[in-house]
Amino acid sequence: MPTTSSSTCDSSRVLDPPVCRTRLGVEITTGEETPARLPGEAAPHPAYRLLARDGGEYLFVGLRSAARPDTAVPAPAPAAQEPLDGLGLRLAPGDVCFYDVHRAPALDFREPFRATTFLVPADLLGLVDSDVRRIARRPVARASRLGTLLSPLLSDLARATAEARPPVGEMLAWNAVNLLATLAAEQLGTAVPGTRDTPGTVDTSGARDTPGAPGTSGARSPVLGRVLEYVELQLTDPNLSPEVIARAHHISVRYLHKLFKDEGTTVGRWILRRRLEECRRDLMRYGRGGRTIAAVAARWGFLSATHFSRVFRSAYGMSPREWRDTAGRAARSGQR
């Protein structure tokens, strides 16, 4: 396996063609041949470097813009005032590093290493441009709580997806997407609060709002962390409510509301946002040949299909049917 050093990492040789391309728009490449540079839409920024001195496997997640190819615009160059010395990130074997394909980092790896790369539409992970910029600077350490659990799983899924037949490969790729979405959400939830500006998040009445993801300027409240985990597990329960959540955690409803208010959102908004995100993914995943829109809504706790359609349109600017059809066209075009 060849050694890649700083003298070669800016060459034109790119990671070998993907071994797996799915209708979700996800491409997965893994192999022993060290890439000189990561897949991207432009040459790597010379000052944006990933640094490593140890051999082993590294996992990279290239995030594509959610814009359609015919409407996409080139990403702006890094701002002049951006501290270039802050763009050198050190990685250890097993770390998971997100990056923007419009600003792919250069590699400075002095030892032989194995690269596994996931190319994923940012929209599939529920990310907007500001989210991508934030998580691209905060690698998920293999030694972290989630990294210890998910890093080997992602590596195994990449290999299994490449070897599986298409139907199984699609399911494995979708599992990888869900794991990456979990990592991204964790990174955003522990970053600076109130800056995740996802447009069109809605409250339970359907009015537009832009709350941030719950998180604190320091460590997240342990109670809030447990509450968020509980909400994820109970998201499909239509009876999930502040009263149910508070009772499960032996706290008052008032204190529960305060936890979310301190983070610029409400319990109801957070639950609704997460349900809408999961519905959007299911509609993209199954398309016309899968579950009905009403069935998808019911699966994620919506009792009224009419209410679901209204809040979905308020959040994403199109109806669930329009989103499903648009996602289906994009998937079919990606297979050509």
Side-chain angles (χ1 to χ4, degrees):
M1 182 168 57
T3 300
T4 298
S5 67
S6 57
S7 62
T8 62
C9 66
D10 291 332
S11 74
S12 60
R13 185 168 64 84
V14 187
L15 200 62
D16 291 339
V19 297
C20 178
R21 183 193 300 267
T22 76
R23 64 184 180 85
L24 295 171
V26 177
E27 299 174 15
I28 304 174
T29 305
T30 186
E32 296 293 337
E33 185 175 357
T34 299
R37 50 178 276 206
L38 295 170
E41 303 297 332
H45 190 286
Y48 182 11
R49 311 183 78 81
L50 301 179
L51 313 173
R53 296 294 179 270
D54 297 323
E57 182 180 30
Y58 293 78
L59 292 93
F60 304 102
V61 185
L63 298 169
R64 294 196 181 100
S65 169
R68 299 191 307 272
D70 58 338
T71 60
V73 296
Q81 67 270 22
E82 191 169 41
L84 296 180
D85 58 352
L87 294 177
L89 302 177
R90 282 193 183 277
L91 303 179
D95 287 357
V96 183
C97 185
F98 292 86
Y99 72 93
D100 185 344
V101 296
H102 295 293
R103 296 186 57 205
L107 300 178
D108 188 355
F109 285 27
R110 301 298 172 84
E111 296 293 331
F113 70 98
R114 185 170 187 263
T116 294
T117 303
F118 298 83
L119 292 179
V120 185
D123 186 63
L124 198 60
L125 302 184
L127 303 176
V128 295
D129 289 344
S130 59
D131 296 333
V132 173
R133 288 193 295 271
R134 290 166 60 199
I135 65 174
R137 301 172 187 230
R138 307 178 72 243
V140 180
R142 171 66 173 81
S144 67
R145 178 175 61 87
L146 271 182
T148 299
L149 174 66
L150 299 187
S151 178
L153 283 177
L154 286 168
S155 177
D156 290 343
L157 279 172
R159 287 192 294 271
T161 301
E163 298 168 358
R165 293 182 177 181
V168 176
E170 289 287 340
M171 293 298 296
L172 292 173
W174 185 253
N175 286 331
V177 167
N178 284 331
L179 292 180
L180 293 173
T182 299
L183 284 174
E186 174 73 7
Q187 292 297 85
L188 291 168
T190 56
V192 179
T195 56
R196 182 175 184 182
D197 50 350
T198 305
T201 303
V202 297
D203 62 18
T204 51
S205 66
R208 283 182 176 267
D209 198 2
T210 54
T216 63
S217 55
R220 171 186 286 168
S221 161
V223 177
L224 180 58
R226 291 194 295 271
V227 165
L228 294 179
E229 290 179 5
Y230 179 83
V231 168
E232 288 299 305
L233 292 174
Q234 305 297 324
L235 206 56
T236 59
D237 183 358
N239 295 316
L240 185 64
S241 67
E243 291 74 19
V244 170
I245 297 170
R247 186 164 56 250
H249 292 83
H250 308 289
I251 59 177
S252 68
V253 174
R254 181 178 180 180
Y255 180 61
L256 176 67
H257 284 306
K258 182 180 184 301
L259 287 174
F260 281 80
K261 182 178 180 181
D262 289 345
E263 308 307 330
T265 188
T266 69
V267 182
R269 287 173 182 169
W270 181 254
I271 293 173
L272 181 59
R273 171 182 176 168
R274 288 294 300 116
R275 282 175 170 165
L276 286 172
E277 288 173 346
E278 294 300 333
C279 287
R280 186 173 65 160
R281 287 177 185 167
D282 271 8
L283 290 171
M284 174 183 284
R285 176 184 180 183
Y286 294 113
R288 281 183 173 273
R291 296 185 177 97
T292 65
I293 291 173
V296 169
R299 181 193 179 199
W300 291 105
F302 287 97
L303 296 176
S304 166
T306 301
H307 171 68
F308 167 66
S309 294
R310 178 166 61 85
V311 295
F312 190 99
R313 180 182 290 277
S314 181
Y316 302 120
M318 64 177 69
S319 70
R321 187 180 306 278
E322 290 169 335
W323 165 255
R324 183 191 63 187
D325 293 346
T326 299
R329 286 195 298 271
R332 289 190 295 274
S333 64
Q335 290 180 302
R336 296 192 185 108

